[in-house]
Amino acid sequence: MYRRFYYKIIDLKRKIISAYKVFLYKLHPDIKIGKNVSIGKNVSIACIWGGKIEIGDNTYIRDGVKIWTYGGDIIIGNDVTINPYCIIYGQGGTQIGNHVLIAGHTMIVPQNHNFKSDTLIRSAGTSEVGIKISDNVWIAHACTILDGVTLQYGTVVAAGSVVKNSTPKNTVIGGVPAKVIKEY
């Protein structure tokens, strides 16, 4: 009995802290957060070098997630779950649709470094096309989504995949680089 009471107190404390974090983020003029958003411990949501962030209703952002604009926009839809230690950048623009599940340790990076044989890589500049993740997508554990990718409706990305090309609807993709494994 005491154990149940203890867990109820811990859950209440988590909800209060989450509500306080949401309140603080809503004070920022370039961050818009919807209703019933839950934010875990050590989450960092920041508009770095400009850009804006929009987070839809009923979204869960778990512990250790970083959402940083780096000058681009990040739009996250409704009913999205972003699990622990994901990193989402916004340089070229990141759009995440509704009902998307993103497992832990996933990186979404809408920027790529240019390189030439006669130039230092850090001096060659970058390309920033953007990433679009449609509705009803599941990205499994420890995936990397690279610049220029569109994940169409119903895409499932297998754990540990590196996605560098866009996908057709209702497919399972996986591997390094990710390829279509099956259509459903």
Side-chain angles (χ1 to χ4, degrees):
M1 177 162 155
Y2 293 111
R3 184 175 284 164
R4 260 194 356 227
F5 178 72
Y6 172 77
Y7 287 123
K8 284 184 180 183
I9 296 295
I10 295 298
D11 190 49
L12 178 63
K13 177 183 172 189
R14 183 192 58 77
K15 286 179 182 177
I16 291 169
I17 291 170
S18 176
Y20 180 67
K21 288 178 184 178
V22 168
F23 170 76
L24 289 178
Y25 282 125
K26 283 184 177 183
L27 295 176
H28 193 288
D30 295 323
I31 298 175
K32 293 185 178 20
I33 297 181
K35 298 175 186 170
N36 300 320
V37 172
S38 175
I39 298 176
K41 293 185 285 185
N42 301 318
V43 170
S44 176
I45 300 173
C47 293
I48 299 171
W49 304 326
K52 68 179 181 184
I53 298 171
E54 293 180 16
I55 300 171
D57 298 339
N58 304 311
T59 294
Y60 293 92
I61 302 171
R62 302 295 186 209
D63 298 347
V65 171
K66 294 190 181 341
I67 301 173
W68 295 348
T69 61
Y70 284 118
D73 295 338
I74 300 172
I75 312 295
I76 300 171
N78 300 322
D79 299 306
V80 174
T81 300
I82 304 170
N83 280 295
Y85 307 105
C86 288
I87 296 174
I88 301 172
Y89 292 152
Q91 291 97 324
T94 299
Q95 296 179 26
I96 299 173
N98 300 319
H99 310 288
V100 173
L101 303 173
I102 303 173
H105 297 274
T106 292
M107 279 198 79
I108 299 173
V109 184
Q111 180 188 47
N112 220 346
H113 288 276
N114 301 325
F115 52 93
K116 301 172 191 167
S117 62
D118 60 343
T119 307
L120 292 173
I121 292 172
R122 71 173 356 149
S123 301
T126 60
S127 64
E128 298 173 351
V129 177
I131 294 174
K132 184 172 194 274
I133 299 171
S134 300
D135 297 344
N136 191 37
V137 170
W138 172 27
I139 302 170
H141 176 76
C143 292
T144 301
I145 314 298
L146 298 175
D147 191 31
V149 167
T150 297
L151 298 178
Q152 295 290 341
Y153 181 92
T155 298
V156 176
V157 182
S161 298
V162 176
V163 183
K164 67 176 199 165
N165 296 313
S166 297
T167 65
K169 289 183 178 179
N170 299 320
T171 54
V172 177
I173 64 170
V176 178
K179 295 179 176 23
V180 174
I181 296 171
K182 115 180 182 181
E183 295 180 22
Y184 65 95

